[in-house]
Amino acid sequence: MKLWPFSVWVAACAAGACAVSVAANEAPKRKSGQWEISSAVGGQPPMTEKVCIDAAGDDIALSAGSGTPQENCESAAIKRDGEAFVTESICKLRNSTVTSRGVFTGSFDSAYQGEVDTNYNPPMYGRAQVKTIIEAKLTGPCP
């Protein structure tokens, strides 16, 4: 099974473009193993994927979201807010400015959940706003 970088942010980026640059002490890390991650974008039924995570490489600072280069972002950050991690980014995707804000909670060693609100200006594919709901859980060791 393929090892993935911190794909919670990839799921968040399914609703838009984001790239995150953070200090290592701010970024949550998931426990090594197989994770089941469900993402429901824009009210659609959730899509679920199973990914094998290596905690040593599960570093959001190494991830650039859905492959959008960080130079396309005028700002991108993650910060701890109490028990939550908050992501915020402003990026360019095609002709739109994409502004995203996500709030993620959970232990990150067994489960987490998040909501990402993404705004497009001008709208993309007829949508000005999209909400993504993410739920993830550790299901066991990698196969």
Side-chain angles (χ1 to χ4, degrees):
M1 180 170 272
K2 183 178 179 181
L3 292 177
W4 291 70
F6 197 41
S7 65
V8 65
W9 312 119
V10 174
C13 290
C18 67
V20 180
S21 174
V22 298
N25 62 348
E26 290 288 331
K29 290 195 179 211
R30 295 172 291 183
K31 184 175 179 179
S32 293
Q34 184 169 309
W35 285 78
E36 184 177 279
I37 303 170
S38 296
S39 302
V41 180
Q44 296 295 313
M47 294 185 304
T48 301
E49 66 176 334
K50 291 184 179 184
V51 295
C52 188
I53 299 300
D54 174 6
D58 192 31
D59 188 345
I60 193 169
L62 300 177
S63 176
S66 60
T68 304
Q70 282 189 287
E71 57 267 16
N72 289 343
C73 297
E74 63 185 69
S75 70
I78 181 172
K79 63 184 175 189
R80 184 180 276 278
D81 184 5
E83 295 297 312
F85 287 91
V86 178
T87 63
E88 294 179 329
S89 65
I90 301 172
C91 302
K92 293 295 282 181
L93 181 62
R94 298 191 181 103
N95 294 327
S96 285
T97 298
V98 183
T99 305
S100 295
R101 183 177 192 281
V103 178
F104 296 87
T105 58
S107 64
F108 293 91
D109 64 355
S110 62
Y112 60 89
Q113 50 283 330
E115 283 191 23
V116 180
D117 291 307
T118 305
N119 296 293
Y120 301 92
N121 186 18
M124 286 189 79
Y125 305 111
R127 299 194 92 170
Q129 296 179 322
V130 174
K131 180 183 286 284
T132 302
I133 307 295
I134 300 158
E135 293 187 14
K137 64 182 176 183
L138 180 65
T139 59
C142 292

